Amino acid sequence: MFTFLVKRLFQALIVMFVISLVAFAIQDNLGDPLRELVGQSVSEEERQVLRDELGLNDPYMTKYTRFISNAVQGDLGTSYFFKKPAAEVILNKLQATLELVFGAALIIVFVSIPLGVFSAIHPKSAWTKLIMALSSFGISIPVFLTAIMLMYVFAIELNWLPSYGRGDTVNVLGWETGFLTKDGLLHLILPCISLASIMLPLFIRLVRSEMLEALSSEYVKFATAKGLAMNKIYYQHALKNTMLPVLTVGGVQIGTMVAYTILTETVFQWPGTGFLFLEAINRVDTPLITAYVIFVGLIFVVTNTIVDLLYGVVNPTVNITGKGA
Amino acid sequence: MSLLEVKNLRIEYPSRHGVHAAVKSLSFTIERGEIVGVVGESGAGKSTVGNGIIDLLSPPGVIASGEVFLEGEKVSGLSPQEMRKVRGSKIGFIFQDPMTSLNPLFTIERQLTETILANLDVTPQEAVSRALTLMEQVGIPEPHLRIKQYPHQFSGGMRQRVVIAIALSGEPDLIIADEPTTALDVSIQDQILKLIRDLCIKKNVGCMLVTHDMGVVSNVTDKVAVMYRGDLVEFGATQQVLGTPVHDYTRSLISAVPRSDIKLDRFPLVSYIEEAHEMEKLDVKTHWLGQSEDQRIYTGPLLNVENVSLRFITKDSFFESRREFVQASNNVSFQIQEGETFGLVGESGSGKSTIARVIAGLYPPDEGKVTFEGVDLTALKSEKERRPMRRQMQMVFQNPYTSMNPRMKIFDIIAEPIRFHKLAESEAQTRQIVHDLLDHVGLGRMAGVKYPHEFSGGQRQRISIARALATRPRLLICDEPTSALDVSVQAQILNLLKDLQDELNLTMLFISHDLPVIRQVCDRIGVMKQGQLLEIAPTEQLFTNPQHDYSKHLVSLMPEFKGLRNDLESA
Amino acid sequence: MKFFKTKLAVALLAAGLSFTSSAADVTVAYDADPVSLDPHEQLSGGTMQMSHMLFDPLVRFTKEFDFEARLAEKWERIDATTFRFNLRKGVKFHSGNTMTADDVVWTFNRLKVSGDFKGVFAPYEKMVKVDDYTVEIKSTEPYPLVLQTATYIFPMDSKFYSGQADGKDKGAIVKHGNSFASTNVSGTGPFIVTSREQGIKVVFERFDDYWDTKSPGNVDKLTLVPIKEDATRVAALLSGDVDLIHPVAPNDQKRVKTTKDIDLTTVAGTRIITFQMNQNSNPALKDVRVRQAIVHAINNKGIVKKIMKGFATTAGQQGPAGYAGYDQALVPRYDLKKAKQLMKEAGYEKGFKLSMMAPNNRYVNDAKIAQAASAMLSKIGIKVDLKTLPKAQYWPEFDVCAADMMMIGWHSDTEDSANFSEFLTMTRNKETGKGAYNCGHYANPTVDNLVNSANAETDPAKRGAMLQEVEQILYKDAAFVPLHWQNLAWGAKSNLEIAPIVNALNFPYFGDLVVK
């Protein structure tokens, strides 16, 4: 366990180091941050002075060395726009993003598993055909469109749900959550559904195919031959085995979902990191961009680690403390 | 009244191309305390019979006609609810592979007790105590500890014991065992068969034993039903059927079984095969396969394994001192001369496959070296240096599926090494060679356009042999190459290898747990146990006069063909 | 309760002049929120909008570009270089301090050192305090635009911003990084900031001691939320989640207009959108006939109608109507036949190739306009190699004038015609900083002289004539391709009377907003 975590930590550091290198290398191609910092009538000399002050005129290696030496001390640079440490800005916004991802993950879990399992058990049912048709249709709709359609129907026409933002939040142990207020929950619904809609078809298909595989396995056949009731075979023997690969894929997809929040958050003006990132790109807020990319890398490593740990808990044949011969 | 009576059973698989009858009008009976073997080659429909009886046919299979009676009560055509009551409590089932028939995520306790609770009217506490008793009965030591464990913590043999315990836990009247020992080591096969036999007698239950192994049939069964292409060709007392086979098919099947008692030059073929792919007789003297351009001036042993040791980590730790290892290979040395076939025998886990992989360069040894024609393979550094060596040494695995790219057609899988090593002069020649190889391993050239998943295990085995031969190797490392094959195919493949060896002076390292096969194929044999090479002896000497105690033990386990006629060669 | 009472007192005071103004909560959605609470940190629309809420200028523009007294009650020109302002008495800052001439001078001096604003105040030598409520501003040369620049003087609470916080000067202007002034504010404006989460919302509440008791405004609490996405912003308005939005994309305007209880308010804007024709990079563009041909070939009326959905005013010159240099004779000139004729005359009957660049997220429909323009140019044989880029990547390209035709929009900081020429059409000059955005490399000494003279002419009539002449020369020389002035649009619930408070400058005077 200790070895495993040490290895993962080391891995994470390498990943983030490589990401920072890449992020830094492309920085100069993102545009000129000065444009967004000063008014249109400011002269070129003034801009040069500012560039010098910000260290933008230094050679790549000087900039990168400075960045790394600061980063080692936990300073990922200061956002031009927010005028606060980039890491702090991202941590502030991360709560909103994580809640969005969590809400979407809940929807995915509670929709994809029943539908996937149902369609695997009843492959010939008309409902299954409908589910599969909808899910292949769902894959092809861009999230942007889903979001706008949801907003049009539920916010404008029916006026049931709010159209943008996060609503009221309450502070629980330093975490601003929208899950504990009615307003916050209402605001979560549409963004979570549209974020979930990206992954939902994929997960339904994944659950279905894993369930089908489990159902065709020898142990299910053997369990049938043992005289067990079908429900027990479906929902205990097969389902648990179905969940293992779903957990692995799902864990990785949660990392991906953090990246997918960019579109959803933009449409719903959700004050999270995805929206932040898009804005940072528009504003050429390079310290923030770099910090965000590094954070996303970290989230990937962390989710993968958690998934591996969970996998070890759920699957008795895996022992992460040591590898077999 | 018989325990089981099967009357005119017909099982069909309807498809777009018409109806395929897997079992055609089958009738037989099983009595209490009796073991009836159902024997035949793959595709004969023998497993289908077992699955049909408890209504576990894989779709779209259906019982088209006929009836099944258990103690006089009709059990065919029941509703799913009624059928469920038959399963487990009246008929227990044992599947072929204990590795896959247990749910990997549940403890043995849970899998046993849920069966007991589903079939018997007992309390959960009683179920646990019954489970413990059953585990003891099937010979699992320390049942109190082991019941809490998961399947992966059991060896293959122990798992099959668990499966048997589960099959018995509903107190059934009949047990259907579908190839219960095929996936197990030879030393364990014997124990499991004995166990099944003893339990059947002790509990007075009937047993239907489905197998392709004539040795098993002759050792265990009271009666035998021989199936060929869905038809029952012969049914009677084992002694009688094996001793005086009436049907031609039975005769030729028996004759193809490798003899454990005497070494023959060639394996007799199963001649009774209608419409099957005729194996092309290939004249290796004139064929491309026989025209290797490798220079042969080296006079020493072709392969020299010197003091090879290798250990694997079983428990990793950050601190070196806390790591735990298993010694997979402990100071192993042997030599193989050009043209010789060297056999390695031993239980699974004895390290024989590890040695094969070290020779093939898949594992670097911790100590020792491997030389091929005087070249130290372990010292080769670059891929470029290894490539010609790789071509001359080919491996054939027991389960070749994982080594085939699922997206490549069979033709390309076999043609790949020819193209890679530029062995053919033209694409047309490549095509011809691949077709010949496919014909030769009995698949037929039409198999080339299919993908690996479209083939059965035995067919894939032949594909992998064809691929190995496609490089015109000088050393063939065969790791259990025919253990999953029917006797007829096994005979064809082994004959092919022998032909190649005779004509091409092919050298072979042959690993198997099947002692009769080893005896037929090998010139010299090494016996391995726990990573150590205990004894090396010429084949006949090892079988007639084993020196090491363990060798003696192994030889004694060899299944014998009781009651077979002595003049089988004439069959 | 106390809050309510004071509110009531203010209401009672105003009762004699206006109807009962009941308190109102309003949520406003913009496409961005202010980057800082420091009014001098960045010269941008967002900062100016915020300044008009938290501060008050000495004078401000009316809808018709006249001047309205705010913190300056009266003003007069003393001589060619001196201008006097009489300040309003009894004006309170949010901190409770009373505004005096010292605060105005302090603010002026701070503007003179602000990177973004010092350009606007470059013509001035200094501001002097005459007495507690009188200041004089002195320019180095005679300068006609004193009142225009006075709209940028939002007196700050000098006492509040003086001293040290965290070891740093409270009044320091910091571009990058945190400063006292960027997060704390004390102005004289109608609102105070009660909470601010950057990028999420800013909450403004009415300042109880606001000096302008005559203001009809009855907004008690104003929440400003940034909603970046056009569609989301409109949805928020249509669903009733917000009361007022800006901007409204051309495609959404019909929807907003036709929705019950929601109104669309538009104002002709002053931001000119143009193409510059780079005479240095493409020799063909040196020929005035070719430039004229291009101007004649581009159907800017059609662009306004089809692409801008009528949401812009077709332009034939730099400054819009109401500006000093506006000449109504300089009309758009789309004439394809003439364009072809001109190309023939110039010897380019067979056309030529040129490169074009435009941003794709800076101006309304920028990329579509560029695509339409290049299609129009193909009709006179000009093959356009068009590249559209996000603004972040576009500006570095613009800095080096990377294409033969580049799109640029310009809003005059002084709401004056001369400003356009200073940045866009005067000869590029590194030393004087003139023509800094002149990627056409158009150079005409007559224009340069006229603009310079106009900037020293204090007689409005004479000055106007000079600036009109500039526009006429540019028109004749086809110095650039004028497209249109973008309109401004607000969508609001019908109970918000926004027409009186919005203007072409896009600084709505929310202090005066009446909610019925």
Side-chain angles (χ1 to χ4, degrees):
Chain A
M1 183 74 180
F2 175 71
T3 319
F4 173 76
L5 286 179
V6 168
K7 266 185 198 160
R8 276 307 171 96
L9 186 72
F10 187 67
Q11 237 174 319
L13 286 176
I14 291 176
V15 167
M16 289 194 288
F17 178 76
V18 172
I19 289 176
S20 74
L21 216 90
V22 175
F24 238 79
I26 59 165
Q27 253 186 8
D28 290 342
N29 301 319
L30 293 175
D32 180 5
L34 262 293
R35 267 303 152 178
E36 300 297 320
L37 283 176
V38 299
Q40 58 181 11
S41 54
V42 172
S43 70
E44 184 54 34
E45 288 109 77
E46 290 280 339
R47 286 166 204 258
Q48 279 307 340
V49 172
L50 252 174
R51 274 196 193 103
D52 279 336
E53 273 175 29
L54 295 177
L56 291 173
N57 288 335
D58 294 338
Y60 176 82
M61 276 323 291
T62 317
K63 279 196 274 188
Y64 189 67
T65 319
R66 185 169 55 217
F67 170 78
I68 284 291
S69 63
N70 285 338
V72 169
Q73 297 160 38
D75 176 10
L76 293 176
T78 302
S79 159
Y80 296 144
F81 179 73
F82 289 92
K83 302 162 204 334
K84 285 180 191 166
E88 184 189 320
V89 173
I90 289 171
L91 281 177
N92 270 337
K93 305 270 179 182
L94 199 60
Q95 300 180 348
T97 297
L98 290 182
E99 290 208 342
L100 178 63
V101 169
F102 178 70
L106 281 185
I107 293 174
I108 289 173
V109 166
F110 285 107
V111 175
S112 70
I113 293 177
L115 292 188
V117 167
F118 175 88
S119 60
I121 295 177
H122 307 282
K124 285 181 180 161
S125 152
W127 286 109
T128 298
K129 282 174 188 145
L130 183 72
I131 292 167
M132 297 325 283
L134 282 181
S135 76
S136 42
F137 182 62
I139 280 175
S140 54
I141 304 183
V143 60
F144 195 83
L145 202 64
T146 319
I148 298 273
M149 282 188 329
L150 285 172
M151 197 189 288
Y152 181 80
V153 173
F154 292 101
I156 299 179
E157 293 301 321
L158 298 172
N159 216 339
W160 289 350
L161 295 168
S163 54
Y164 77 96
R166 219 184 149 193
D168 295 337
T169 55
V170 287
N171 193 308
V172 180
L173 305 172
W175 181 282
E176 285 288 334
T177 177
F179 274 99
L180 295 175
T181 66
K182 191 182 165 220
D183 190 50
L185 281 172
L186 288 176
H187 277 85
L188 270 161
I189 295 173
L190 291 184
C192 286
I193 292 176
S194 54
L195 182 59
S197 73
I198 308 169
M199 298 279 174
L200 202 50
L202 182 113
F203 270 81
I204 292 175
R205 278 157 183 275
L206 178 70
V207 171
R208 179 182 136 96
S209 68
E210 293 299 336
M211 185 75 179
L212 280 174
E213 195 172 325
L215 287 179
S216 67
S217 70
E218 283 286 306
Y219 57 80
V220 162
K221 202 173 167 193
F222 187 57
T224 317
K226 274 158 49 168
L228 296 188
M230 287 323 280
N231 280 345
K232 205 164 187 182
I233 294 169
Y234 291 148
Y235 300 115
Q236 291 182 9
H237 283 265
L239 189 59
K240 195 168 182 192
N241 281 281
T242 300
M243 291 329 289
L244 280 185
V246 173
L247 179 72
T248 325
V249 177
V252 177
Q253 294 300 332
I254 283 187
T256 320
M257 272 215 297
V258 171
Y260 271 116
T261 55
I262 292 175
L263 279 173
T264 315
E265 290 187 357
T266 306
V267 176
F268 288 102
Q269 191 71 26
W270 191 263
T273 49
F275 180 60
L276 180 79
F277 177 64
L278 201 70
E279 288 283 89
I281 294 231
N282 278 332
R283 295 193 188 106
V284 203
D285 197 340
T286 39
L288 199 54
I289 295 170
T290 314
Y292 175 82
V293 175
I294 291 172
F295 257 88
V296 169
L298 183 69
I299 286 174
F300 267 86
V301 176
V302 168
T303 47
N304 278 336
T305 308
I306 293 173
V307 165
D308 286 351
L309 288 174
L310 276 180
Y311 194 85
V313 171
V314 181
N315 189 348
T317 62
V318 173
N319 178 10
I320 50 168
T321 55
K323 54 175 192 241
Chain B
M1 184 177 61
S2 298
L3 171 65
L4 178 81
E5 184 172 6
V6 176
K7 269 190 190 167
N8 303 325
L9 187 69
R10 181 180 173 87
I11 296 171
E12 290 179 351
Y13 282 84
S15 75
R16 233 174 284 166
H17 312 293
V19 174
H20 165 68
V23 174
K24 306 165 189 164
S25 193
L26 188 75
S27 300
F28 66 95
T29 56
I30 297 179
E31 307 298 331
R32 280 192 177 272
E34 185 181 71
I35 298 184
V36 174
V38 177
V39 75
E41 294 185 51
S42 45
K46 54 192 193 300
S47 290
T48 313
V49 176
N51 288 334
I53 290 171
I54 58 164
D55 195 21
L56 271 184
L57 292 168
S58 51
V62 285
I63 296 178
S65 62
E67 290 160 316
V68 180
F69 296 93
L70 194 67
E71 296 209 299
E73 275 180 60
K74 195 176 163 197
V75 293
S76 53
L78 295 180
S79 73
Q81 296 309 316
E82 292 166 326
M83 198 62 221
R84 189 168 76 71
K85 288 182 187 134
V86 173
R87 292 182 196 136
S89 57
K90 291 196 173 139
I91 303 175
F93 214 101
I94 300 167
F95 284 110
Q96 174 176 359
D97 192 352
M99 300 292 171
T100 55
S101 44
L102 294 173
N103 190 328
L105 302 186
F106 293 150
T107 59
I108 300 305
E109 177 174 22
R110 175 161 179 185
Q111 303 197 44
L112 263 168
T113 53
E114 68 177 4
T115 320
I116 296 169
L117 290 170
N119 294 307
L120 303 175
D121 188 19
V122 294
T123 65
Q125 286 82 359
E126 282 177 287
V128 175
S129 65
R130 269 172 180 268
L132 290 168
T133 315
L134 277 166
M135 284 177 76
E136 225 173 304
Q137 284 175 353
V138 298
I140 296 171
E142 296 180 284
H144 283 278
L145 293 177
R146 307 223 68 181
I147 198 167
K148 300 284 178 203
Q149 293 181 333
Y150 289 92
H152 72 275
Q153 290 161 299
F154 286 71
S155 69
M158 282 296 154
R159 275 194 230 191
Q160 197 61 309
R161 286 173 195 266
V162 171
V163 170
I164 293 168
I166 291 174
L168 290 171
S169 64
E171 302 196 332
D173 305 311
L174 175 73
I175 287 186
I176 299 174
D178 189 356
E179 305 268 12
T181 57
T182 309
L184 300 177
D185 264 10
V186 67
S187 54
I188 294 160
Q189 277 185 14
D190 197 52
Q191 296 168 13
I192 296 291
L193 288 170
K194 265 200 186 112
L195 176 69
I196 292 176
R197 188 173 177 88
D198 293 349
L199 288 169
C200 285
I201 294 165
K202 200 166 120 196
K203 293 186 181 268
N204 198 29
V205 301
C207 178
M208 173 175 157
L209 183 71
V210 177
T211 182
H212 72 276
D213 191 333
M214 296 304 285
V216 169
V217 170
S218 76
N219 276 350
V220 184
T221 61
D222 301 309
K223 283 188 195 161
V224 64
V226 182
M227 286 189 72
Y228 177 70
R229 303 208 163 189
D231 278 321
L232 183 70
V233 294
E234 204 159 346
F235 179 56
T238 305
Q239 198 77 11
Q240 179 205 333
V241 172
L242 296 190
T244 51
V246 177
H247 198 275
D248 284 348
Y249 176 69
T250 318
R251 284 165 175 275
S252 74
L253 191 65
I254 290 168
S255 69
V257 175
R259 299 279 299 264
S260 56
D261 50 352
I262 184 167
K263 182 164 175 154
L264 301 172
D265 193 37
R266 279 286 179 278
F267 291 94
L269 292 172
V270 179
S271 53
Y272 189 83
I273 299 179
E274 330 160 61
E275 305 158 48
H277 274 298
E278 239 348 279
M279 269 205 178
E280 292 286 323
K281 254 298 194 190
L282 223 148
D283 188 358
V284 280
K285 268 177 250 173
T286 54
H287 193 264
W288 173 85
L289 276 177
Q291 294 161 5
S292 179
E293 292 137 22
D294 297 320
Q295 294 174 348
R296 293 177 186 184
I297 42 169
Y298 187 75
T299 49
L302 186 70
L303 185 78
N304 192 358
V305 177
E306 278 177 66
N307 307 340
V308 166
S309 291
L310 178 62
R311 58 182 191 171
F312 293 117
I313 297 174
T314 51
K315 187 170 184 293
D316 200 5
S317 172
F318 189 71
F319 305 101
E320 211 166 320
S321 58
R322 282 215 221 145
R323 289 182 196 153
E324 288 171 19
F325 301 93
V326 61
Q327 195 72 37
S329 168
N330 191 356
N331 203 20
V332 170
S333 301
F334 60 87
Q335 297 178 338
I336 308 180
Q337 301 298 328
E338 176 121 45
E340 186 185 32
T341 302
F342 185 80
L344 272 181
V345 294
E347 298 177 45
S348 68
S350 60
K352 47 192 200 302
S353 293
T354 305
I355 287 290
R357 283 171 163 73
V358 168
I359 294 168
L362 299 177
Y363 296 149
D366 291 338
E367 282 164 50
K369 63 177 184 177
V370 177
T371 58
F372 181 82
E373 222 177 19
V375 180
D376 184 356
L377 299 179
T378 47
L380 296 181
K381 288 286 170 278
S382 73
E383 189 56 31
K384 211 178 160 188
E385 289 174 323
R386 283 192 204 109
R387 194 175 294 163
M389 295 300 161
R390 287 243 170 102
R391 183 183 67 70
Q392 296 187 53
M393 287 192 294
Q394 288 293 314
M395 272 195 91
V396 178
F397 298 99
Q398 180 172 9
N399 178 10
Y401 189 42
T402 47
S403 62
M404 291 183 196
N405 184 342
R407 289 182 220 293
M408 275 173 80
K409 288 183 179 160
I410 300 305
F411 180 90
D412 294 309
I413 287 175
I414 296 173
E416 195 182 25
I418 302 175
R419 290 173 185 153
F420 182 78
H421 294 291
K422 300 189 177 68
L423 300 176
E425 282 150 22
S426 65
E427 188 58 27
Q429 196 190 4
T430 306
R431 188 174 301 276
Q432 186 57 47
I433 294 165
V434 174
H435 286 161
D436 287 349
L437 283 167
L438 281 171
D439 283 341
H440 204 72
V441 296
L443 288 171
R445 58 188 59 190
M446 289 315 290
V449 298
K450 295 187 185 170
Y451 290 92
H453 69 88
E454 297 177 67
F455 293 91
S456 70
Q459 288 170 319
R460 286 200 285 261
Q461 191 66 60
R462 293 192 240 175
I463 294 165
S464 87
I465 289 170
R467 180 175 60 177
L469 293 177
T471 65
R472 287 191 294 204
R474 294 178 58 195
L475 174 67
L476 207 54
I477 303 167
C478 304
D479 190 357
E480 305 277 10
T482 59
S483 58
L485 303 181
D486 286 328
V487 278
S488 57
V489 181
Q490 173 174 289
Q492 288 163 348
I493 300 272
L494 293 177
N495 280 343
L496 170 67
L497 292 177
K498 280 201 151 201
D499 285 344
L500 288 168
Q501 186 167 34
D502 290 349
E503 300 300 333
L504 310 178
N505 214 17
L506 191 67
T507 312
M508 278 199 281
L509 174 62
F510 199 94
I511 296 168
S512 180
H513 68 253
D514 190 337
L515 292 176
V517 168
I518 285 273
R519 186 169 193 175
Q520 299 303 323
V521 172
C522 300
D523 302 317
R524 281 191 308 140
I525 297 172
V527 180
M528 282 195 80
K529 192 189 182 192
Q530 290 172 350
Q532 281 180 302
L533 192 55
L534 301 176
E535 178 176 359
I536 301 179
T539 304
E540 284 312 304
Q541 191 185 318
L542 184 84
F543 278 92
T544 51
N545 186 19
Q547 296 301 306
H548 198 279
D549 285 348
Y550 182 71
S551 310
K552 287 177 189 162
H553 173 66
L554 269 187
V555 171
S556 74
L557 285 176
M558 197 156 61
E560 282 166 45
F561 229 5
K562 286 192 293 199
L564 282 186
R565 287 199 309 183
N566 290 328
D567 57 344
L568 271 173
E569 287 105 297
S570 62
Chain C
M1 214 51 211
K2 177 182 165 262
F3 180 73
F4 183 67
K5 269 185 199 154
T6 42
K7 189 70 237 158
L8 202 67
V10 173
L12 285 172
L13 272 174
L17 299 146
S18 60
F19 303 108
T20 47
S21 39
S22 57
D25 268 15
V26 171
T27 304
V28 175
Y30 269 12
D31 57 348
D33 58 345
V35 295
S36 164
L37 291 179
D38 185 342
H40 296 164
E41 194 173 307
Q42 182 168 0
L43 176 44
S44 68
T47 301
M48 296 301 288
Q49 285 153 8
M50 177 198 74
S51 297
H52 279 283
M53 294 172 79
L54 300 177
F55 299 87
D56 262 305
L58 292 180
V59 298
R60 73 183 184 191
F61 283 105
T62 65
K63 266 177 114 74
E64 294 77 29
F65 298 108
D66 289 332
F67 297 99
E68 184 185 351
R70 295 306 286 170
L71 297 185
E73 274 182 319
K74 285 185 297 178
W75 52 87
E76 60 182 322
R77 185 172 280 284
I78 305 295
D79 56 44
T81 59
T82 312
F83 209 96
R84 175 178 291 171
F85 290 96
N86 295 99
L87 302 176
R88 196 176 293 275
K89 292 187 179 101
V91 174
K92 287 263 192 265
F93 283 112
H94 299 159
S95 64
N97 298 332
T98 305
M99 185 201 73
T100 67
D102 291 325
D103 297 306
V104 180
V105 174
W106 186 90
T107 303
F108 177 85
N109 291 337
R110 192 167 187 261
L111 283 163
K112 284 287 276 180
V113 296
S114 154
D116 276 33
F117 287 83
K118 67 178 161 196
V120 176
F121 291 89
Y124 300 114
E125 187 201 339
K126 61 181 175 184
M127 179 184 266
V128 292
K129 171 184 171 181
V130 178
D131 61 43
D132 268 358
Y133 293 97
T134 313
V135 292
E136 280 180 4
I137 192 164
K138 290 184 188 296
S139 52
T140 41
E141 305 286 327
Y143 188 60
L145 302 175
V146 176
L147 284 173
Q148 276 88 341
T149 50
T151 63
Y152 284 96
I153 303 174
F154 293 87
M156 294 169 76
D157 189 343
S158 63
K159 291 193 192 82
F160 179 79
Y161 289 104
S162 296
Q164 302 262 310
D166 298 332
K168 282 177 245 165
D169 179 13
K170 284 183 176 177
I173 302 170
V174 182
K175 259 283 175 213
H176 173 233
N178 237 331
S179 69
F180 178 80
S182 68
T183 49
N184 296 279
V185 64
S186 174
T188 61
F191 294 102
I192 55 172
V193 173
T194 54
S195 89
R196 174 170 178 253
E197 291 170 78
Q198 201 168 4
I200 300 174
K201 64 177 176 185
V202 192
V203 180
F204 298 92
E205 279 181 29
R206 193 87 184 177
F207 173 42
D208 291 341
D209 292 333
Y210 186 46
W211 63 269
D212 189 0
T213 51
K214 292 191 186 87
S215 165
N218 66 345
V219 174
D220 230 17
K221 185 178 167 195
L222 188 148
T223 309
L224 177 70
V225 294
I227 300 183
K228 195 81 197 166
E229 206 54 47
D230 286 340
T232 313
R233 204 161 48 243
V234 168
L237 176 69
L238 297 179
S239 66
D241 291 338
V242 301
D243 302 292
L244 172 69
I245 63 166
H246 172 81
V248 184
N251 281 331
D252 298 325
Q253 290 183 2
K254 203 172 155 202
R255 177 87 211 253
V256 171
K257 213 186 278 180
T258 54
T259 304
K260 200 171 151 265
D261 296 331
I262 288 178
D263 295 331
L264 181 76
T265 306
T266 55
V267 168
T270 59
R271 183 187 294 280
I272 181 75
I273 306 294
T274 70
F275 277 117
Q276 295 183 330
M277 292 169 281
N278 192 339
Q279 305 184 20
N280 282 10
S281 67
N282 194 323
L285 298 174
K286 271 198 164 53
D287 190 325
V288 65
R289 289 168 299 191
V290 172
R291 297 202 301 272
Q292 283 288 6
I294 290 173
V295 171
H296 281 85
I298 293 177
N299 180 1
N300 49 3
K301 227 175 210 154
I303 288 173
V304 166
K305 196 174 162 197
K306 287 273 172 5
I307 298 174
M308 300 299 286
K309 314 270 184 203
F311 173 59
T313 310
T314 315
Q317 53 196 309
Q318 300 180 118
Y323 274 32
Y326 183 75
D327 180 349
Q328 61 183 37
L330 306 177
V331 293
R333 352 150 219 189
Y334 167 61
D335 185 342
L336 196 57
K337 219 188 235 170
K338 186 165 179 202
K340 283 181 181 160
Q341 179 63 32
L342 284 162
M343 287 290 278
K344 199 172 177 183
E345 282 170 25
Y348 288 103
E349 200 180 353
K350 287 185 183 148
F352 61 93
K353 273 190 192 173
L354 65 73
S355 59
M356 182 190 279
M357 272 191 199
N360 58 24
N361 60 353
R362 176 62 189 93
Y363 310 114
V364 179
N365 292 331
D366 38 17
K368 281 186 199 161
I369 293 167
Q371 279 150 14
S374 60
M376 290 164 179
L377 289 180
S378 71
K379 288 188 183 160
I380 58 167
I382 297 177
K383 236 187 117 199
V384 178
D385 171 22
L386 173 66
K387 197 169 166 190
T388 62
L389 305 160
K391 61 180 177 182
Q393 279 95 59
Y394 181 70
W395 293 125
E397 298 288 344
F398 189 87
D399 280 344
V400 295
C401 300
D404 300 337
M405 279 179 81
M406 302 202 82
M407 184 187 278
I408 174 106
W410 197 260
H411 167 252
S412 164
D413 288 338
T414 51
E415 302 299 328
D416 177 73
S417 296
N419 180 278
F420 289 110
S421 293
E422 282 172 47
F423 285 95
L424 301 177
T425 45
M426 278 175 77
T427 311
R428 258 185 185 247
N429 186 326
K430 263 235 158 99
E431 273 155 44
T432 61
K434 302 291 183 200
Y437 287 76
N438 182 355
C439 266
H441 296 289
Y442 172 79
N444 185 338
T446 321
V447 168
D448 297 349
N449 288 336
L450 276 168
V451 176
N452 285 335
S453 317
N455 279 347
E457 177 55 64
T458 54
D459 179 346
K462 284 188 192 163
R463 186 168 180 275
M466 291 177 192
L467 290 172
Q468 283 182 6
E469 195 184 341
V470 169
E471 294 278 24
Q472 286 151 8
I473 295 170
L474 296 175
Y475 191 83
K476 196 178 89 239
D477 282 353
F480 64 99
V481 185
L483 293 166
H484 53 253
W485 296 284
Q486 280 178 7
N487 286 359
L488 301 171
W490 291 263
K493 291 184 181 162
S494 305
N495 62 334
L496 269 62
E497 295 187 340
I498 70 157
I501 66 154
V502 297
N503 46 50
L505 302 103
N506 197 7
F507 315 146
Y509 302 141
F510 281 115
D512 297 338
L513 176 62
V514 174
V515 181
K516 284 187 293 222

